[in-house]
Amino acid sequence: MPRPTIVQPQPQPERPETVEDVDVAPPAAAPAPAEPAREQPWIATPSEPGGEGQVVLSPISSFPRLVELERRLQGMPVVRTVYARDFRNGVATLAIGLRHPMTVDEFASTVTKLDYPRVRIVSTSGYVLELRIDSEASSIA
């Protein structure tokens, strides 16, 4: 029986690495900046102007009345957009887009000057302005 021969592996000559030979990982992506809130408030504080916010308006007796109130607000020169976000139990939450940045106090002052609907300010908090329709005005329509 012939003896098996042992073959030693021959050392490979070293060659310089090229760019193609090196696995290069893509650069690590920078962490994404925090996603801003769904809407930009028209104010961060009562003294900082902004372009968007929310108005909580009550009491509203019916959906047709809500549509009329939206049209009235939309007709204001300072208002760009009005969208009803919620309407339950006579309370509507409206998203308001303004043509020019205003403070919540400036916008509240503008809204309270409307002949119809006559509203009074209940509260302001962050970017939310809460208004109550006067009882005389609510009986008009």
Side-chain angles (χ1 to χ4, degrees):
M1 181 175 248
R3 289 181 75 198
T5 58
I6 299 175
V7 177
Q8 294 286 335
Q10 294 293 327
Q12 294 291 328
E14 286 197 46
R15 63 181 183 131
E17 289 186 347
T18 63
V19 174
E20 293 83 28
D21 295 330
V22 178
D23 288 330
V24 178
E35 196 64 30
R38 199 169 110 240
E39 63 186 358
Q40 294 295 323
W42 64 27
I43 57 160
T45 65
S47 62
E48 292 180 25
E52 295 179 359
Q54 287 187 24
V55 172
V56 177
L57 190 59
S58 66
I60 302 172
S61 58
S62 65
F63 187 76
R65 174 110 163 98
L66 171 61
V67 172
E68 174 60 26
L69 293 168
E70 284 179 303
R71 287 183 184 147
R72 296 286 180 154
L73 291 171
Q74 182 73 52
M76 295 174 60
V78 298
V79 174
R80 180 176 37 88
T81 57
V82 178
Y83 296 105
R85 298 187 142 237
D86 190 35
F87 178 50
R88 296 181 228 188
N89 301 323
V91 179
T93 302
L94 307 172
I96 305 289
L98 301 174
R99 294 187 189 282
H100 307 288
M102 304 177 83
T103 65
V104 70
D105 294 332
E106 290 169 336
F107 183 72
S109 174
T110 303
V111 172
T112 56
K113 289 179 185 175
L114 289 174
D115 289 334
Y116 173 80
R118 286 190 299 239
V119 295
R120 64 181 169 84
I121 300 168
V122 175
S123 68
T124 58
S125 172
Y127 60 93
V128 178
L129 172 61
E130 186 175 352
L131 300 171
R132 182 141 183 98
I133 299 171
D134 284 343
S135 59
E136 296 171 13
S138 64
S139 65
I140 292 174

